[in-house]
Each structure stands twice: as C-alpha cells, then as structure tokens.
Amino acid sequence: MPKVLVSDPIDQVGIDILSQVAQVDVKTNLPPEELLQIISDYDALMIRSGTRVTKEVIEAGNQLKIIGRAGVGVDNVDVPTATRRGVLVVNSPEGNTVAAAEHAVAMMLSLSRYIPDANQSVKGGQWDRKSFTGVEVYKKTLGIVGLGKIGSHVASIARAMGMRLLAYDPYLSMERAEQLGCQLVELDFLFQEADYITLHMPKTPETYHLINAEALNKMKPTTRIINCARGGIIDEEALVEALKQGKIAGAALDVYEQEPLQAESSLRSLGKQLILTPHLGASTEEAQVNVAIDVAEQIRDVLLGLPARSAVNIPGLRPDLMEKLRPYLLLAETLGNFVSQLAGGRIESFHIKLQGDLATNESQPIVIAALKGLLSHALQERVNYVNANIEAKERGIHVVETRDATVKDYTGSLLLSATGPLGTHSVTGALLGDNEIRITSIDEFPINVPPSRYMLFTLHRDMPGIIGKIGSLLGSFNVNIASMQVGRKLVRGDAVMVLSLDDPIPDGILSEITKVNGIRDAYTVTLPEN
Ligand SMILES: NC(=O)c1ccc[n+]([C@@H]2O[C@H](COP(=O)([O-])OP(=O)(O)OC[C@H]3O[C@@H](n4cnc5c(N)ncnc54)[C@H](O)[C@@H]3O)[C@@H](O)[C@H]2O)c1
Ligand SMILES: O=C(O)[C@H](O)COP(=O)(O)O
C-alpha cells in the first residue's frame, strides 16, 4: 500500500479519502530535520502553508510522486525542483476563496468599529463606550488591489454594503472590472482616494513591498489597509512607522513577512489601530472541507495512476503523450509568459499558431500550456493546466488557435502573438536537438537565443554605436550582460536587440534606454527560475 504523510492540520474528510488507497500518517509540526529524515518512506505528501517543502526535502523523497497543497499558495514548495524530479504538485485554487474574502471584510469592519479591543476591554471588566467610537463603511471608497477570485468576491460584498469601489489590477481588462462594479484606476489614484485598501494579489517581485513608506505617504490619514493576501506585500517596518505617526488610521494583517510572526515584532506593540490574526484567511470549516476533498481526491487518483485535475506543474496526461509533449509544454509556457510581458500584461487577444509537426489535434495541451504561461505572470500558481482556459475566458481574452503543417524550418515550432497595453507583439520558438528552447523570432525579426531569467529587448534603428551605448548604460546601472544578439531584416533598417542579463533590471532603466538616439522602444522580461 502506498504511504501518505500529512504534515499540516487537514480536515478529517481528506484523511478518510486518502485512507481508501493508502496508509496515512498524520505528523504535524515536524521539525525540518525530522521531515528530511522520514520523507523517503512516502509516496505522497499533503500540506498547508506550515510545511516548507525545500529542494532538500524533495530530493530526499525518492519515492515521492505527488505533493498536495490543501489550499492555494505553493510558495512554501520548491516547485521547479519538484518539476525537475517529475513530482506532481497539486493545489485547490478555489476551495478557500470565499473564506479569505470574508476574512478581509471581517477585518475591514473590525477595524472600523474597534471590535477586538472593545471585546478585550469588556472582558477585562470595563464598560468604556467612549474609546471605541468607530466609522461606517457605507458610502466610503474601497480600493481593491488585485481583482482576481478573492478580490472579486470582496467587491460583491462591499458593493452590497454601499461602498464605492476602485480597483487596481494591471492584468485585468476594464470591461471585467466594470462587470464587477469596480472602476479600474492607477495605483497612485487608488492610494490617494481610498478610505479602505484591501490587498488580493500574489506575492511576486513586482508586489514585494508594494505598500512601502512612499505608498503610505500618499494615503489619507483616515485610510485603513487590510492584507489577507501574502506577507511581504506590505513593508512592515514602514507600516509601523506610518501608524505611529498617524499617516494612516489603521491596518489589519492576516499574513506576515515571516510566519509565525516573531515574538519581538514591532507590530505587536501597536494599539487598537492595528489588528493581527495568525493567517486565518482560509480557516473556516467549509473552506477546510473544500480544500481537503479537492486535494485528497487528487492524491488518491494519482496514486491509482489517474490524472490530477489541478496540477500546478505537470498536466494530467497519458504517460506516453506526456513523455512526447513535455518539452513542448515547457516551450509553450515559456513563450506565453514571455509574450504577455512584451505586450504589457493586460492581454486583450492572444493568437497561437502550431507549426510543422505540432499542427495536429494531439497538441491541444500545448495550447493550454501557452495560456498558462500567458497568465502565469499575473496569477502565479493559481493558474494551472485545468483552469487556464477558463481563466483566460473570464478575463475576456480573445483566444485564436491556428495550425500550419507547412512551416518546416524546425520539426515543430510555435508562433504566439498577444495584444495588450504595449501593443501587439509576437514571438516564435522551437526546440533544438536536445530539447533546448530557442526563441527564433521576436516581432518577426529573426534571432536565435535561449530564454534566460532576465532579458531586455530593444526595437531600434540599425546604426553604428547603438550597441555600445546600451552596453555602457547597463554598466552604469551595474547590470552585467551575459549575451547579446541583434536581429534585423534589412541592413540599417529596423532591428531588435536581445540581451540576456545576469541581474534584475532596475527601475527607471527603460526610460533611460528609450532616450538613446535610434531606440524606438525597450521591453524587459523576467522568466521564472527553472
Ligand atoms: N490569508 C489567507 O489565508 C489566504 C487564503 C487564500 C488566498 N490567499 C492569498 O490571496 C491572494 C489572492 O488570491 P486569489 O485566489 O484571489 O488569486 P487570483 O489569482 O484569483 O487573483 C490574483 C489577482 O492579482 C492580480 N495581480 C497580479 N499581479 C498584480 C499586481 N502587481 N498588482 C495588482 N494586482 C495584481 C492578478 O491579475 C489577479 O487578478 C493570493 O496572494 C493568495 O495567496 C490568502
Ligand atoms: O494559500 C492559501 O491557501 C492560504 O494562504 C491558506 O493557507 P493555510 O492553508 O495554511 O491556511
């Protein structure tokens, strides 16, 4: 019988499902070294956010077939290592949506009426009605940052409470926001206008410390801010200072830069203007039943040799088809991610052309992989091989899929084109002999470069001196160039320059690059580590 280790508290219904096919050991609060020691005995691991599944754990788990996250976030799992070792990672992208949204709304109301402190005061024997005069949310402005599943549900509740809704989401169309009753605005406007700000986006390099001292300075002294998304989106030090100085009126946090929150954290020293809960967003009976069933069923199915319905890293395909398509799935996902960034993220339409040997009906999973890549910058681990199509539809992205078997420059290649705020951009890619990914054109300019973590592109006039200028400019920002290639159709005509960089591209560099004589446009792309 296969063995499953459950290392975080999971609802009994999940254990019962797993017990149909496996021996289930529930061992919560394991010290990391103990997990490392015992993991080699197990075929599956079921977790929540409490267990850190590091590279070492996955490598030590030489029997591991599947890691099931009873919840959404897999930021505690080293997914690239799992993928490399063929370990499936599955989650439950929607099981706790309502719970997290309701927690955010509860935080907003608690902040407005000082409920936690008033409760504490009465239980402490007092009858103080004066210190706890609150404010109403009715007719106030709520700024929702990240209008995905949870943000949308918060919007519908807040609308019913008579709030005016603003939203900032760089990956969502105006129409979708309007359907949800929200006015899509720029972030600075939201910071300046909102009485309440609630965060519902993933933690990414883009959102890390999005709420910092500068952002807090833009808010009104009456603003209250709620974070039930991920720790690290708010700079905690800056928040403590802003609250102490009365720059904003209050904050409510469910998630922290470091969890569990350290005993000595300065957050613990603040008064009634700050409410803290210990990552309880998903902790309702209903959500825990939803996620436990969702994930336990997937683990059970995979242990029985069946596909998983919500795999984060590997689609549920027949093993023979999977073997054949795997390199192309990675190609499609990489190109999808790439072209969405070139087009500016908020994609309106997307065209995928399967060329050469890929122009068959068997290659449908490649289309899904490209959509997953297209949405992954915005949705991170919440987009998977199952929901990518639905997510694209819900976001109003017009998807066109064509096939052309006559293109023969590689055995099989993909041409992806996306339209977004930065216009229409296209990228073509193929695999070389040993399944190495090559980008073979950008915006129809022929090139031949492997994708890398940090990339910079320019559209420019092919003229002497331009490459040197870009090189010096990057040098002055201390950015090291790993490789560089120019693609052009005509000598001294238009051209693209593609640079692979060793370092992330600092803010402000693109505007400097576009000032260089001859440069028409510049773009950056950051791809996930493989
Ligand atoms: N506290 C909890 O227990 C708990 C429970 C569930 C989910 N969460 C967290 O809540 C967050 C939202 O989850 P969801 O299920 O709604 O995800 P989702 O993927 O449905 O929505 C996320 C939204 O954020 C947007 N986004 C991406 N980058 C952005 C940026 N830079 N600025 C603004 N918006 C951006 C995306 O376009 C998307 O619409 C995640 O961080 C998730 O991990 C927390
Ligand atoms: O990502 C999630 O699903 C939430 O953060 C909930 O985490 P939890 O399952 O540890 O409560």
Side-chain angles (χ1 to χ4, degrees):
M1 219 183 192
K3 287 178 79 179
V4 181
L5 174 64
V6 175
S7 61
D8 282 316
I10 306 288
D11 192 274
Q12 183 60 34
V13 68
I15 317 276
D16 293 344
I17 293 169
L18 293 171
S19 304
Q20 295 166 1
V21 296
Q23 175 192 319
V24 184
D25 294 342
V26 181
K27 296 185 182 181
T28 55
N29 290 322
L30 280 175
E33 52 287 0
E34 206 173 312
L35 175 63
L36 209 54
Q37 258 171 23
I38 63 169
I39 193 68
S40 60
D41 286 346
Y42 292 96
D43 302 273
L45 174 64
M46 187 157 171
I47 55 162
R48 284 176 61 189
S49 59
T51 303
R52 285 197 64 228
V53 190
T54 58
K55 182 169 188 277
E56 291 70 31
V57 170
I58 297 168
E59 284 175 350
N62 45 20
Q63 310 265 11
L64 265 188
K65 292 169 191 65
I66 176 165
I67 299 166
R69 160 53 161 127
V72 196
V74 288
D75 29 12
N76 50 328
V77 180
D78 184 340
V79 179
T81 300
T83 310
R84 225 173 298 124
R85 296 182 64 94
V87 178
L88 204 60
V89 180
V90 302
N91 68 352
S92 170
E94 292 182 14
N96 57 29
T97 299
V98 170
E102 289 185 359
H103 196 70
V105 174
M107 291 287 231
M108 180 168 72
L109 293 172
S110 301
L111 262 180
S112 305
R113 304 302 290 269
Y114 304 111
I115 288 172
D117 281 66
N119 167 64
Q120 195 79 7
S121 147
V122 177
K123 285 190 176 155
Q126 297 183 40
W127 190 253
D128 175 2
R129 290 169 23 109
K130 213 163 165 222
S131 307
F132 302 115
T133 303
V135 287
E136 290 171 15
V137 301
Y138 181 60
K139 288 197 172 165
K140 296 282 168 37
T141 299
L142 173 64
I144 304 174
V145 186
L147 199 53
K149 289 184 277 293
I150 297 171
S152 306
H153 196 68
V154 168
S156 72
I157 302 173
R159 211 174 45 236
M161 293 197 296
M163 300 186 83
R164 170 190 174 221
L165 303 181
L166 302 179
Y168 170 75
D169 188 324
Y171 302 101
L172 205 75
S173 67
M174 204 75 93
E175 295 75 56
R176 173 77 182 141
E178 275 166 17
Q179 276 170 13
L180 296 166
C182 298
Q183 184 191 347
L184 207 57
V185 295
E186 287 307 317
L187 197 53
D188 274 355
F189 183 81
L190 185 148
F191 287 158
Q192 285 154 18
E193 282 282 305
D195 301 296
Y196 296 86
I197 296 174
T198 186
L199 308 175
H200 299 290
M201 68 288 216
K203 180 177 161 197
T204 64
E206 236 171 66
T207 62
Y208 176 75
H209 283 190
L210 188 87
I211 307 297
N212 53 18
E214 202 186 329
L216 289 159
N217 275 333
K218 291 176 186 157
M219 296 172 195
K220 301 191 277 198
T222 49
T223 299
R224 291 173 169 85
I225 184 160
I226 298 129
N227 186 10
C228 291
R230 276 290 175 268
I233 297 178
I234 297 185
D235 176 346
E236 289 172 359
E237 290 299 310
L239 178 70
V240 169
E241 270 316 295
L243 287 168
K244 279 186 179 159
Q245 293 172 20
K247 288 193 170 159
I248 60 167
L253 308 179
D254 184 45
V255 286
Y256 306 90
E257 302 214 44
Q258 201 182 315
E259 293 184 16
L261 183 67
Q262 302 127 286
E264 66 281 7
S265 164
S266 51
L267 288 170
R268 294 189 196 260
S269 65
L270 281 135
K272 67 179 182 199
Q273 76 273 45
L274 180 65
I275 298 176
L276 306 175
T277 53
H279 203 144
L280 291 182
S283 294
T284 63
E285 288 172 16
E286 295 85 347
Q288 285 314 306
V289 168
N290 291 344
V291 297
I293 294 178
D294 215 2
V295 171
E297 284 185 347
Q298 295 187 70
I299 295 180
R300 178 198 62 195
D301 290 354
V302 168
L303 293 178
L304 290 173
L306 300 168
R309 59 170 175 263
S310 196
V312 172
N313 57 344
I314 305 169
L317 292 176
R318 283 195 339 253
D320 55 327
L321 194 57
M322 181 66 209
E323 209 41 52
K324 200 164 121 196
L325 289 183
R326 192 199 303 267
Y328 286 104
L329 297 177
L330 187 59
L331 170 71
E333 206 174 320
T334 306
L335 296 182
N337 191 334
F338 191 97
V339 79
S340 85
Q341 293 182 58
L342 283 189
R346 186 177 289 145
I347 305 302
E348 291 154 27
S349 63
F350 177 60
H351 179 191
I352 171 163
K353 193 166 162 199
L354 298 121
Q355 307 183 135
D357 288 1
L358 297 182
T360 68
N361 287 336
E362 265 200 341
S363 42
Q364 188 56 26
I366 296 178
V367 177
I368 310 279
L371 278 176
K372 178 174 183 275
L374 189 82
L375 296 170
S376 63
H377 209 65
L379 303 185
Q380 307 282 303
E381 65 268 10
R382 273 163 296 282
V383 60
N384 59 42
Y385 285 93
V386 179
N387 66 11
N389 239 329
I390 302 164
E391 285 284 353
K393 214 171 272 168
E394 278 189 354
R395 291 172 164 258
I397 301 173
H398 179 61
V399 179
V400 178
E401 175 188 328
T402 55
R403 290 175 164 73
D404 185 352
T406 64
V407 180
K408 287 289 179 207
D409 32 359
Y410 292 87
T411 332
S413 63
L414 294 173
L415 167 61
L416 270 54
S417 151
T419 304
L422 301 179
T424 298
H425 290 277
S426 65
V427 59
T428 314
L431 296 176
L432 295 194
D434 46 0
N435 287 336
E436 252 183 61
I437 297 177
R438 278 292 182 280
I439 297 171
T440 54
S441 82
I442 294 179
D443 288 350
E444 296 178 14
F445 290 95
I447 51 158
N448 191 329
V449 287
S452 67
R453 181 135 168 75
Y454 305 111
M455 302 184 86
L456 171 71
F457 302 87
T458 63
L459 276 173
H460 62 273
R461 207 147 33 85
D462 181 29
M463 57 193 247
I466 207 154
I467 294 172
K469 281 188 200 148
I470 298 296
S472 325
L473 192 60
L474 287 171
S476 70
F477 277 84
N478 201 22
V479 174
N480 202 35
I481 300 174
S483 73
M484 194 277 294
Q485 209 182 95
V486 174
R488 60 187 187 182
K489 294 178 206 161
L490 279 177
V491 176
R492 302 231 177 193
D494 286 338
V496 294
M497 182 170 9
V498 185
L499 295 130
S500 296
L501 307 169
D502 291 329
D503 310 290
I505 298 140
D507 289 344
I509 197 165
L510 280 188
S511 58
E512 290 303 309
I513 289 174
T514 45
K515 282 183 201 151
V516 172
N517 185 26
I519 300 278
R520 282 202 286 119
D521 241 323
Y523 305 86
T524 58
V525 169
T526 304
L527 293 172
E529 267 170 307
N530 274 313

Short mmCIF file of all heavy atoms in Angstrom, two decimals, residues 332-357:
data_model
loop_
_atom_site.label_atom_id
_atom_site.label_comp_id
_atom_site.label_asym_id
_atom_site.label_seq_id
_atom_site.Cartn_x
_atom_site.Cartn_y
_atom_site.Cartn_z
N ALA A 332 5.95 26.11 -24.77
CA ALA A 332 4.73 26.91 -24.91
C ALA A 332 4.54 27.81 -23.69
O ALA A 332 4.19 28.99 -23.83
CB ALA A 332 3.53 25.98 -25.07
N GLU A 333 4.79 27.27 -22.52
CA GLU A 333 4.59 28.04 -21.29
C GLU A 333 5.59 29.20 -21.23
O GLU A 333 5.23 30.34 -20.88
CB GLU A 333 4.77 27.10 -20.09
CG GLU A 333 4.02 27.58 -18.90
CD GLU A 333 4.06 26.58 -17.74
OE1 GLU A 333 3.96 25.36 -17.97
OE2 GLU A 333 4.18 27.06 -16.61
N THR A 334 6.82 28.92 -21.62
CA THR A 334 7.85 29.96 -21.59
C THR A 334 7.50 31.08 -22.58
O THR A 334 7.56 32.27 -22.25
CB THR A 334 9.23 29.36 -21.96
OG1 THR A 334 9.47 28.27 -21.09
CG2 THR A 334 10.34 30.37 -21.85
N LEU A 335 7.10 30.68 -23.79
CA LEU A 335 6.78 31.69 -24.81
C LEU A 335 5.53 32.49 -24.41
O LEU A 335 5.45 33.70 -24.66
CB LEU A 335 6.56 31.05 -26.18
CG LEU A 335 7.77 30.33 -26.81
CD1 LEU A 335 7.39 29.79 -28.20
CD2 LEU A 335 8.98 31.24 -26.95
N GLY A 336 4.57 31.82 -23.79
CA GLY A 336 3.34 32.50 -23.34
C GLY A 336 3.66 33.56 -22.30
O GLY A 336 3.20 34.72 -22.39
N ASN A 337 4.48 33.19 -21.34
CA ASN A 337 4.88 34.12 -20.28
C ASN A 337 5.63 35.31 -20.89
O ASN A 337 5.37 36.48 -20.57
CB ASN A 337 5.79 33.35 -19.30
CG ASN A 337 6.05 34.11 -18.03
OD1 ASN A 337 6.00 35.33 -18.03
ND2 ASN A 337 6.38 33.41 -16.96
N PHE A 338 6.51 34.97 -21.83
CA PHE A 338 7.36 35.94 -22.50
C PHE A 338 6.54 36.98 -23.27
O PHE A 338 6.67 38.19 -23.10
CB PHE A 338 8.22 35.11 -23.45
CG PHE A 338 9.34 35.81 -24.09
CD1 PHE A 338 10.60 35.71 -23.55
CD2 PHE A 338 9.16 36.55 -25.24
CE1 PHE A 338 11.66 36.35 -24.15
CE2 PHE A 338 10.20 37.18 -25.84
CZ PHE A 338 11.46 37.08 -25.30
N VAL A 339 5.60 36.48 -24.10
CA VAL A 339 4.86 37.40 -24.97
C VAL A 339 3.88 38.25 -24.16
O VAL A 339 3.60 39.39 -24.49
CB VAL A 339 4.19 36.64 -26.14
CG1 VAL A 339 2.91 35.94 -25.72
CG2 VAL A 339 3.95 37.56 -27.32
N SER A 340 3.39 37.70 -23.03
CA SER A 340 2.46 38.50 -22.23
C SER A 340 3.19 39.69 -21.63
O SER A 340 2.64 40.78 -21.50
CB SER A 340 1.78 37.65 -21.15
OG SER A 340 2.57 37.58 -20.01
N GLN A 341 4.46 39.49 -21.27
CA GLN A 341 5.22 40.62 -20.71
C GLN A 341 5.55 41.64 -21.80
O GLN A 341 5.49 42.84 -21.57
CB GLN A 341 6.49 40.12 -20.03
CG GLN A 341 6.17 39.29 -18.79
CD GLN A 341 7.43 38.83 -18.07
OE1 GLN A 341 8.26 39.64 -17.66
NE2 GLN A 341 7.57 37.53 -17.91
N LEU A 342 5.87 41.15 -23.01
CA LEU A 342 6.15 42.09 -24.10
C LEU A 342 4.92 42.95 -24.40
O LEU A 342 5.03 44.14 -24.70
CB LEU A 342 6.51 41.35 -25.39
CG LEU A 342 7.90 40.76 -25.53
CD1 LEU A 342 8.12 40.26 -26.96
CD2 LEU A 342 8.98 41.78 -25.20
N ALA A 343 3.73 42.32 -24.29
CA ALA A 343 2.50 43.05 -24.63
C ALA A 343 1.99 43.88 -23.47
O ALA A 343 1.00 44.60 -23.61
CB ALA A 343 1.44 42.06 -25.11
N GLY A 344 2.61 43.77 -22.31
CA GLY A 344 2.25 44.65 -21.19
C GLY A 344 1.29 44.07 -20.19
O GLY A 344 0.75 44.78 -19.36
N GLY A 345 1.05 42.75 -20.27
CA GLY A 345 0.32 42.08 -19.18
C GLY A 345 -1.19 42.03 -19.33
O GLY A 345 -1.77 40.97 -19.22
N ARG A 346 -1.84 43.16 -19.56
CA ARG A 346 -3.32 43.14 -19.62
C ARG A 346 -3.74 42.72 -21.03
O ARG A 346 -4.06 43.53 -21.88
CB ARG A 346 -3.83 44.54 -19.28
CG ARG A 346 -5.31 44.63 -19.16
CD ARG A 346 -5.74 46.01 -18.75
NE ARG A 346 -5.41 46.29 -17.37
CZ ARG A 346 -5.04 47.48 -16.90
NH1 ARG A 346 -4.91 48.50 -17.72
NH2 ARG A 346 -4.79 47.64 -15.63
N ILE A 347 -3.75 41.41 -21.25
CA ILE A 347 -3.89 40.90 -22.63
C ILE A 347 -5.35 40.95 -23.08
O ILE A 347 -6.26 40.52 -22.38
CB ILE A 347 -3.38 39.44 -22.70
CG1 ILE A 347 -1.94 39.36 -22.18
CG2 ILE A 347 -3.46 38.88 -24.12
CD1 ILE A 347 -0.94 40.24 -22.91
N GLU A 348 -5.54 41.47 -24.29
CA GLU A 348 -6.89 41.51 -24.86
C GLU A 348 -7.11 40.34 -25.81
O GLU A 348 -8.16 39.74 -25.85
CB GLU A 348 -7.10 42.81 -25.65
CG GLU A 348 -7.14 44.04 -24.77
CD GLU A 348 -6.71 45.28 -25.53
OE1 GLU A 348 -6.87 45.32 -26.77
OE2 GLU A 348 -6.19 46.19 -24.88
N SER A 349 -6.09 40.06 -26.63
CA SER A 349 -6.25 38.94 -27.54
C SER A 349 -4.94 38.18 -27.66
O SER A 349 -3.85 38.74 -27.46
CB SER A 349 -6.73 39.41 -28.90
OG SER A 349 -5.76 40.23 -29.46
N PHE A 350 -5.09 36.89 -27.98
CA PHE A 350 -3.93 36.00 -27.99
C PHE A 350 -4.10 35.03 -29.16
O PHE A 350 -5.16 34.43 -29.33
CB PHE A 350 -3.90 35.24 -26.65
CG PHE A 350 -2.80 34.24 -26.55
CD1 PHE A 350 -1.47 34.62 -26.67
CD2 PHE A 350 -3.08 32.89 -26.31
CE1 PHE A 350 -0.45 33.69 -26.56
CE2 PHE A 350 -2.06 31.96 -26.20
CZ PHE A 350 -0.74 32.36 -26.32
N HIS A 351 -3.06 34.91 -29.95
CA HIS A 351 -3.11 34.00 -31.10
C HIS A 351 -1.96 33.01 -30.96
O HIS A 351 -0.82 33.41 -30.76
CB HIS A 351 -2.95 34.82 -32.40
CG HIS A 351 -2.96 33.97 -33.63
ND1 HIS A 351 -2.63 34.44 -34.86
CD2 HIS A 351 -3.26 32.65 -33.82
CE1 HIS A 351 -2.72 33.45 -35.75
NE2 HIS A 351 -3.10 32.37 -35.14
N ILE A 352 -2.30 31.73 -31.02
CA ILE A 352 -1.24 30.71 -31.00
C ILE A 352 -1.32 29.92 -32.30
O ILE A 352 -2.40 29.45 -32.69
CB ILE A 352 -1.31 29.79 -29.77
CG1 ILE A 352 -0.32 28.64 -29.92
CG2 ILE A 352 -2.69 29.26 -29.47
CD1 ILE A 352 0.00 27.91 -28.65
N LYS A 353 -0.17 29.81 -32.94
CA LYS A 353 -0.12 29.06 -34.19
C LYS A 353 0.82 27.87 -33.99
O LYS A 353 1.99 28.05 -33.62
CB LYS A 353 0.41 29.98 -35.29
CG LYS A 353 0.24 29.44 -36.67
CD LYS A 353 0.47 30.58 -37.65
CE LYS A 353 0.75 30.10 -39.02
NZ LYS A 353 1.41 31.14 -39.82
N LEU A 354 0.28 26.67 -34.17
CA LEU A 354 1.09 25.46 -34.02
C LEU A 354 1.61 25.11 -35.41
O LEU A 354 0.83 24.92 -36.34
CB LEU A 354 0.24 24.33 -33.46
CG LEU A 354 -0.30 24.63 -32.07
CD1 LEU A 354 -1.80 24.60 -32.04
CD2 LEU A 354 0.28 23.68 -31.06
N GLN A 355 2.92 25.02 -35.54
CA GLN A 355 3.51 24.88 -36.87
C GLN A 355 4.25 23.55 -37.02
O GLN A 355 4.71 22.96 -36.05
CB GLN A 355 4.47 26.05 -37.11
CG GLN A 355 3.79 27.39 -36.87
CD GLN A 355 4.68 28.60 -37.16
OE1 GLN A 355 4.23 29.53 -37.78
NE2 GLN A 355 5.91 28.59 -36.70
N GLY A 356 4.38 23.12 -38.28
CA GLY A 356 5.12 21.89 -38.59
C GLY A 356 4.45 20.70 -37.94
O GLY A 356 3.22 20.56 -37.95
N ASP A 357 5.28 19.83 -37.29
CA ASP A 357 4.74 18.60 -36.70
C ASP A 357 3.78 18.86 -35.53
O ASP A 357 3.10 17.94 -35.08
CB ASP A 357 5.89 17.72 -36.19
CG ASP A 357 6.66 17.11 -37.34
OD1 ASP A 357 6.29 17.39 -38.50
OD2 ASP A 357 7.62 16.37 -37.08
#
